[in-house]
Amino acid sequence: MKLYDLMTDNRRENILVGSKKPVFGWRVETEKRNVRQESYRVQVWDEQGNSVWDSGTVESSRMAGIQYEGKELQSGKRMTWHVSCIFSSDEGVITAEEESSFETAYYNREDWKGKFIGETKDHEYHLYRKKFGCKKAVKLAKLYVCGMGAFECWINGKRVSDHVMEPGWTDFRRTCFYTAYDVTEYFAEGENTENVILVKLGDCMFNVPGGRYVYFQRSYGKAKLLCQLELVYEDGSREYVVTDESWKRAKSPIEFCCIYGGEDFDGRRWTREYLTSEASEIWEAAVCVEPPLGELKPAPMEPLRVKEIYQPVGVREVETGVWQYDLGKNFSGWARIFLKTDGSRAGQKVVLKTAEKLDENGRIDQSVTGKDYAWTYVLNDKKEQEFAPDFTYTGFRYVEMTGAVPGKEISLQGEFIYPDVDQAGDFCCSNTLFNQIHKIILQAIKSNTKSYFTDCPHREKLGWLEQTHLIGPSIMYNLDVHNLYTKIEGDMADSQRENGLIPDICPEYVTGFDKWHKGFLDSPEWGSACVLAPWYAYKRYGDLALLEKYFPVMKKYVEYLSSKTHHEVLHHGLGDWLDIGPCTPHSQNTPVPVVATCIYYYDLQIMAKIAQLLGKKEVAEAYQKKMKLVFEEYNLQFLDDQTGRYANGSQAAQAMSLIVGLVPEEYQDKVVSQLKDDVVKRGYAITAGDVGHPFLIAALMKYGMSDVLNEMTNITDKPGYGYQVVNGATTLTEEWDGPEPGNIHGSQNHLMLGSIEEWFYGSLGGMELVRDGLSFEEIRIQPHPEKGLNWVSAWTLHPYGKISVKWKWENEKIRVFCQIPPGLTAHLESPDGKEIMTVGSGYYEYTI
């Protein structure tokens, strides 16, 4: 038996722990059955080996979210922690132990010894350089960087990481992230060595002054840099290299850079000499500037990286000298080019323009994604050159290039960028259409997972909040986004108004949308992410600390909603955005008060549960009391007790009322029947939109209508998932009928309609992890074999380990194979809910 994946604040070997009360977790590797932790002991020591915390032996099965309760942690210290556990199993008692480390962040502004240096004009960019000597042999070296809006860094000519667009996007008036690297390996052994730090800066989301296409101009200041290199010598002494007036700067190869418009890069100013140059004529004194307004905090989430590479599936000349590349899939990131020349083309340009679709003439169409978005590279005199942009990205499939000839001079690849998180699951089955639907949803999720969940990776790149909870369970089946949800909750806290309002977009980079519709600023389905998203994170990851930290934010928001009610009903917001009908995009099938009040009631219900968990009994009782009032008024105003229809009986109205618990028990059968009838009478077509659809999925699953979902998901001739696949979508589109033949419209890369993943994993795969009502250490395995499916294989990652379920038809019966990780109790059930057996960890085979 072995402990592995020791985590501090949900990251392995974490070198930037920003909390003074971090949480610890671990997993167990064993082939033994029914392994369950009986007790644990966590010990933490400082750099000198002094004990700062000893939990003592704690009788608990908990292996995640163990909160530090020791002496106050100090800035910039390396800590060691050790966990020892006692487990029971079918083979008796077993012990296991393991050790890991973490490093604390800078907790105080005074820990930074340098000054901000940076730009003073828009569209002016520099490289920043510091030459310094090491007087003694370096034992350890750690580099801290806050580069606003984004930076890349080299030491002695070597890039310090392969992360991109660091340190991340926030409301820079409140929070500015920094990051850290262990850079010991970049320093030569021995004394009196000379070294060079070089930093490249860009605007990214921090400064958007305009130029080419820009969604909305905005600025939190000009690009700036704070850097601190901490050197620990072999004799234990320390030295710091920090940004100040002694740094030098030279004109950057970046001539234009806009997160929305693209990048122009002059390769003549990006050669080896710029990384290690002694040429004094290109360098001038750096300028000290005012620091950003936001508080400096360590980035809590995983960094962005190039995670996948796409090679062109087709290249054609669409006009003399214009070459079009098809990368096969719609994704978000950039293109990288590799050039080979005779060295005589210095000063010539290669221009790359992108799009996610083609127009009627087969040329790139930027009408939706941002007209004139482009990358331009100016060649230098080297025979081999390489270029990709630094501080901008977009969503695209096609690239049109001028200035070089494919094959002879240039090759191109697409680079897909998303956070460096663990894959948390996968799904496949015998139905090819379902596999294709899963793939386009996953492609959209990855494309829109950056420093927050974007609405789209091209036109807006904004953090519209509703998707964080509406498809939160679907996202969490596929990716480990624990830390990203922590970061996003911080975004909402930063953006919360004095009256409690959480705006629809966080960070609130763009204002003024309410001139078109007030719901674009204040819609309960969006703002309620501050309550529902952390609740789902708690259900999925067991993160009670997240609920504790942000409970005041949630409480203040729900109080704001309560102040907006009339007879306990909310009447404002966007409702079921982008539902299907003739009046797109505004809610047309379901009245706004129905949608808004359902979400409000759901908030109250979740807040009562959170208050109970946090030991706030009186607060919980107050929410329960308010729930009764809303329940009565909602049913008085909207329920037709003769038919069981809420309002006009739409899919969204019926499903939302059921899932949030607003249906009186005596009317439940009628309400469920009306929901099913609506779907069947429409030929299994979807009418629910962005908000209502996840509740539709959940309701059909909860009330035994997985067969109805099977029919709906197999449809290809009506707007929906199958329709998108058969009409060529490689990512999920913004609208149900987005890839309509002859009328491709809206964004072709949105994640907000991806909630069918809950059915794939939770019903077909039988692993419901968020809406099941079980404790964190229990799981129900209840596969639902549906017509047309011969087999299903799915797995997902619980904080305790991998859960996998496979089933197949065998001799007219269903054979099920499942793997349960140590620490979990699994209830193995038949599709009709009858329990077959309750088991602990291990591998099981059984027949249903």
Side-chain angles (χ1 to χ4, degrees):
M1 179 175 290
K2 178 184 177 183
L3 301 183
Y4 73 105
D5 274 356
L6 271 65
M7 303 273 198
T8 309
D9 277 356
N10 318 310
R11 294 172 80 168
R12 304 174 189 88
E13 298 293 333
N14 197 337
I15 68 166
L16 198 62
V17 171
S19 170
K20 290 189 177 182
K21 295 184 70 175
V23 294
F24 303 110
W26 52 88
R27 293 182 175 128
V28 187
E29 182 180 301
T30 179
E31 294 182 359
K32 302 180 190 301
R33 271 195 172 190
N34 294 314
V35 172
R36 192 166 188 84
Q37 181 180 281
E38 298 297 326
S39 67
Y40 69 82
R41 181 186 181 188
V42 175
Q43 296 168 278
V44 184
W45 297 275
D46 65 16
E47 292 173 324
Q48 288 73 43
N50 301 312
S51 175
V52 296
W53 185 47
D54 185 340
S55 70
T57 299
V58 180
E59 293 185 1
S60 172
S61 57
R62 192 81 172 175
M63 297 190 296
I66 310 300
Q67 195 164 67
Y68 174 83
E69 297 290 351
K71 296 177 182 178
E72 183 172 340
L73 297 174
Q74 303 301 309
S75 295
K77 302 298 182 184
R78 185 176 182 85
M79 315 296 290
T80 301
W81 70 281
H82 181 276
V83 57
S84 54
C85 305
I86 297 176
F87 296 92
S88 62
S89 75
D90 286 352
E91 299 178 22
V93 175
I94 311 161
T95 61
E97 57 185 312
E98 192 56 73
E99 193 166 282
S100 186
S101 65
F102 66 93
E103 297 178 37
T104 59
Y106 286 158
Y107 295 132
N108 310 300
R109 182 63 179 88
E110 294 73 26
D111 295 322
W112 294 88
K113 305 179 186 305
K115 303 174 184 178
F116 272 93
I117 58 177
E119 308 297 350
T120 57
K121 298 178 182 177
D122 287 332
H123 299 307
E124 186 175 280
Y125 308 98
H126 290 86
L127 303 173
Y128 292 86
R129 182 175 181 271
K130 175 67 176 179
K131 180 181 174 183
F132 63 97
C134 290
K135 302 171 185 175
K136 310 169 190 176
V138 174
K139 179 182 178 182
L140 294 170
K142 191 171 179 182
L143 179 67
Y144 299 83
V145 186
C146 178
M148 297 286 105
F151 69 90
E152 293 177 355
C153 184
W154 289 257
I155 293 179
N156 295 331
K158 297 178 181 178
R159 180 88 179 269
V160 300
S161 84
D162 60 357
H163 305 160
V164 300
M165 292 184 286
E166 281 198 299
W169 315 330
T170 59
D171 182 339
F172 301 105
R173 298 166 298 182
R174 301 292 181 87
T175 298
C176 294
F177 286 154
Y178 64 89
T179 191
Y181 313 92
D182 183 335
V183 293
T184 309
E185 65 181 275
Y186 296 89
F187 292 90
E189 294 183 6
E191 301 178 3
N192 299 315
T193 58
E194 288 196 344
N195 304 277
V196 174
I197 302 178
L198 184 82
V199 180
K200 186 194 295 181
L201 276 183
D203 288 325
C204 212
M205 284 288 186
F206 186 72
N207 186 38
V208 187
R212 291 200 287 262
Y213 167 75
V214 56
Y215 190 67
F216 272 95
Q217 294 185 22
R218 57 181 180 273
S219 180
Y220 297 89
K222 309 297 185 285
K224 56 195 66 185
L225 167 69
L226 181 64
C227 180
Q228 183 156 308
L229 174 65
E230 184 175 351
L231 300 168
V232 181
Y233 295 118
E234 291 287 356
D235 63 4
S237 61
R238 294 175 187 258
E239 186 175 0
Y240 296 89
V241 178
V242 302
T243 43
D244 57 21
E245 300 91 339
S246 68
W247 282 55
K248 303 294 184 181
R249 72 177 190 177
K251 192 172 182 182
S252 174
I254 297 174
E255 295 188 320
F256 173 86
C257 181
C258 178
I259 191 71
Y260 292 105
E263 185 170 307
D264 298 341
F265 191 100
D266 191 336
R268 294 170 297 183
R269 291 200 299 275
W270 188 242
T271 62
R272 186 72 186 169
E273 290 74 23
Y274 274 77
L275 293 174
T276 58
S277 176
E278 297 297 324
S280 59
E281 65 272 11
I282 67 172
W283 300 99
E284 62 183 24
V287 178
C288 290
V289 296
E290 288 293 315
L293 293 176
E295 179 184 350
L296 301 190
K297 296 180 182 178
M301 70 293 183
E302 289 78 5
L304 299 175
R305 286 183 59 219
V306 173
K307 297 286 287 182
E308 300 176 36
I309 293 177
Y310 294 151
Q311 299 299 331
V313 298
V315 183
R316 65 192 183 103
E317 192 171 19
V318 291
E319 181 183 322
T320 302
V322 181
W323 298 87
Q324 185 183 99
Y325 291 82
D326 179 0
L327 289 161
K329 289 184 179 180
N330 196 345
F331 66 100
S332 69
W334 51 50
R336 183 176 299 275
I337 55 173
F338 303 88
L339 293 119
K340 290 184 178 181
T341 73
D342 61 5
S344 66
R345 295 188 57 197
Q348 295 185 30
K349 294 181 179 180
V350 175
V351 179
L352 306 168
K353 293 187 175 182
T354 62
E356 59 177 9
K357 64 177 182 177
L358 303 177
D359 64 19
E360 62 276 9
N361 299 314
R363 301 297 299 274
I364 60 169
D365 182 348
Q366 296 183 326
S367 59
V368 171
T369 56
K371 188 172 174 56
D372 296 328
Y373 186 93
W375 304 306
T376 300
Y377 177 68
V378 179
L379 278 68
N380 58 37
D381 60 1
K382 305 299 180 185
K383 291 186 177 181
E384 292 189 3
Q385 302 174 49
E386 177 182 329
F387 165 73
D390 298 296
F391 306 121
T392 180
Y393 78 100
T394 191
F396 68 107
R397 172 177 171 174
Y398 303 98
V399 181
E400 286 191 356
M401 179 194 71
T402 57
V405 179
K408 295 180 181 179
E409 302 173 312
I410 193 169
S411 61
L412 178 149
Q413 65 185 31
E415 298 187 345
F416 194 178
I417 295 167
Y418 50 91
D420 193 22
V421 298
D422 289 341
Q423 182 179 351
D426 202 5
F427 170 88
C428 61
C429 67
S430 60
N431 185 321
T432 301
L433 178 62
F434 289 1
N435 294 335
Q436 292 171 316
I437 292 168
H438 168 65
K439 287 177 181 178
I440 70 170
I441 293 172
L442 184 55
Q443 189 79 353
I445 289 172
K446 290 177 177 178
S447 291
N448 287 286
T449 305
K450 296 295 183 282
S451 287
Y452 45 74
F453 295 108
T454 61
D455 59 324
C456 57
H458 34 65
R459 182 180 71 223
E460 295 185 20
K461 299 183 174 79
L462 296 177
W464 292 93
L465 291 178
E466 90 289 6
Q467 53 204 3
T468 63
H469 68 90
L470 292 171
I471 70 157
S474 292
I475 294 170
M476 293 173 189
Y477 274 122
N478 289 291
L479 301 177
D480 182 353
V481 288
H482 189 170
N483 289 323
L484 187 54
Y485 267 72
T486 300
K487 185 267 180 185
I488 291 169
E489 193 69 12
D491 290 339
M492 289 186 268
D494 280 352
S495 298
Q496 188 168 37
R497 307 284 178 84
E498 284 297 320
N499 64 358
L501 167 68
I502 301 284
D504 291 6
I505 301 169
C506 292
E508 197 181 9
Y509 289 145
V510 176
T511 59
F513 273 118
D514 52 323
K515 67 185 177 184
W516 292 295
H517 193 299
K518 290 182 180 179
F520 289 138
L521 168 65
D522 178 12
S523 191
E525 306 80 13
W526 276 247
S528 291
C530 76
V531 174
L532 303 178
W535 174 249
Y536 290 155
Y538 166 73
K539 292 288 292 179
R540 191 65 172 83
Y541 306 117
D543 191 348
L544 188 64
L546 183 63
L547 301 181
E548 288 177 334
K549 182 175 181 179
Y550 291 107
F551 187 79
V553 173
M554 306 175 199
K555 186 173 182 291
K556 190 175 180 180
Y557 179 68
V558 174
E559 288 170 353
Y560 169 76
L561 290 184
S562 296
S563 74
K564 301 282 285 185
T565 61
H566 180 71
H567 290 285
E568 310 299 340
V569 168
L570 282 177
H571 292 264
H572 71 285
L574 295 172
D576 190 18
W577 181 254
L578 271 176
D579 55 358
I580 293 181
C583 301
T584 299
H586 300 288
S587 186
Q588 53 201 306
N589 300 316
T590 312
V592 167
V594 167
V595 180
T597 307
C598 281
I599 290 292
Y600 171 51
Y601 185 82
Y602 197 27
D603 286 345
L604 293 170
Q605 181 186 127
I606 299 306
M607 288 297 288
K609 292 179 179 179
I610 294 172
Q612 289 280 15
L613 282 169
L614 300 181
K616 303 176 185 291
K617 184 179 178 182
E618 292 183 1
V619 177
E621 289 173 350
Y623 285 124
Q624 290 163 352
K625 184 178 179 180
K626 174 62 78 171
M627 286 171 62
K628 291 179 181 178
L629 297 175
V630 177
F631 184 94
E632 291 171 2
E633 193 65 36
Y634 180 82
N635 283 285
L636 180 65
Q637 293 194 33
F638 299 116
L639 173 64
D640 179 348
D641 60 4
Q642 300 301 304
T643 64
R645 289 160 58 98
Y646 278 92
N648 54 356
S650 70
Q651 293 174 9
Q654 301 298 103
M656 293 185 75
S657 301
L658 285 164
I659 289 299
V660 304
L662 276 167
V663 180
E665 187 175 350
E666 63 269 28
Y667 296 111
Q668 195 169 98
D669 289 346
K670 279 186 177 181
V671 175
V672 170
S673 178
Q674 282 289 338
L675 173 61
K676 182 176 181 178
D677 287 350
D678 182 88
V679 174
V680 173
K681 287 174 181 176
R682 295 177 186 275
Y684 296 93
I686 299 166
T687 63
D690 180 15
V691 178
H693 186 253
F695 291 94
L696 174 63
I697 300 292
L700 294 175
M701 287 172 62
K702 180 177 180 178
Y703 293 98
M705 293 180 281
S706 180
D707 58 327
V708 174
L709 278 167
N710 188 45
E711 294 286 349
M712 296 176 77
T713 312
N714 270 298
I715 287 175
T716 59
D717 61 347
K718 299 184 178 88
Y721 294 116
Y723 179 91
Q724 294 194 19
V725 167
V726 299
N727 285 300
T730 59
T731 49
L732 195 61
T733 65
E734 181 179 11
E735 300 178 41
W736 285 119
D737 60 350
E740 181 184 359
N743 183 35
I744 297 175
H745 56 279
S747 162
Q748 300 299 293
N749 195 337
H750 260 60
L751 81 165
M752 65 187 186
L753 297 176
S755 52
I756 197 64
E757 294 287 284
E758 283 197 66
W759 181 62
F760 286 160
Y761 283 94
S763 187
L764 296 185
M767 301 180 293
E768 176 56 70
L769 292 177
V770 171
R771 303 185 192 271
D772 56 13
L774 296 175
S775 73
F776 179 66
E777 295 179 344
E778 294 179 280
I779 181 173
R780 179 179 292 109
I781 304 296
Q782 188 188 23
H784 287 77
E786 295 299 340
K787 183 177 67 177
L789 284 170
N790 298 319
W791 59 267
V792 165
S793 177
W795 67 270
T796 195
L797 195 63
H798 186 277
Y800 289 0
K802 184 177 179 179
I803 306 165
S804 65
V805 177
K806 299 178 182 178
W807 62 259
K808 63 179 181 178
W809 280 98
E810 194 175 88
N811 299 324
E812 298 185 355
K813 292 183 179 180
I814 300 294
R815 191 72 178 159
V816 182
F817 314 85
C818 66
Q819 182 77 42
I820 308 300
L824 286 186
T825 297
H827 305 281
L828 311 183
E829 298 183 359
S830 61
D832 60 2
K834 293 178 181 177
E835 186 163 302
I836 298 168
M837 55 182 154
T838 295
V839 299
S841 66
Y843 176 77
Y844 300 91
E845 297 182 17
Y846 57 97
T847 301
I848 55 175

